[in-house]
Amino acid sequence: MNRLASFLLFWGLGLATALGLNLLTPSMAFAQEEVGAVIAAYASIAFIFFVICYVFFAFTLQTIANKLNVENSWLAWIPIANLWVWVKCAGRPDW
């Protein structure tokens, strides 16, 4: 077995164990409610991480736009409108 396959197998078993899915001994499976709670906890953590990353990205884009004197730099906080801020920061026409 090559290194990549063994890494993926190890990672997959570790993730399955963390989710409460014991793949090696199926007789010790958790109840459905416990698995749902674990998945909800991971989803909550992932959502909080996403929000933190988005706030960081929008803040840094707005700061760069302010330093480059781009008008309407507050558009960095709006998901599709921030593409316009990117274009203006790059010095391209906004057609």
Side-chain angles (χ1 to χ4, degrees):
M1 185 181 301
N2 63 16
R3 297 175 95 187
L4 179 62
S6 61
F7 172 75
L8 291 176
L9 178 65
F10 177 75
W11 185 82
L13 289 176
L15 180 63
T17 304
L19 290 174
L21 306 171
N22 196 344
L23 299 177
L24 299 177
T25 56
S27 63
M28 299 175 63
F30 287 102
Q32 188 69 24
E33 297 84 21
E34 292 174 354
V35 172
V38 170
I39 291 173
Y42 278 112
S44 300
I45 291 170
F47 178 74
I48 290 170
F49 179 74
F50 171 75
V51 169
I52 290 171
C53 289
Y54 186 79
V55 167
F56 175 75
F57 171 74
F59 177 74
T60 54
L61 182 59
Q62 184 178 17
T63 302
I64 291 169
N66 285 336
K67 289 184 178 187
L68 294 174
N69 295 323
V70 173
E71 61 184 50
N72 298 328
S73 62
W74 57 270
L75 289 174
W77 294 93
I78 302 173
I80 302 299
N82 66 10
L83 296 174
W84 182 82
V85 178
W86 283 1
V87 169
K88 295 310 282 183
C89 286
R92 297 291 191 181
D94 55 348
W95 43 268

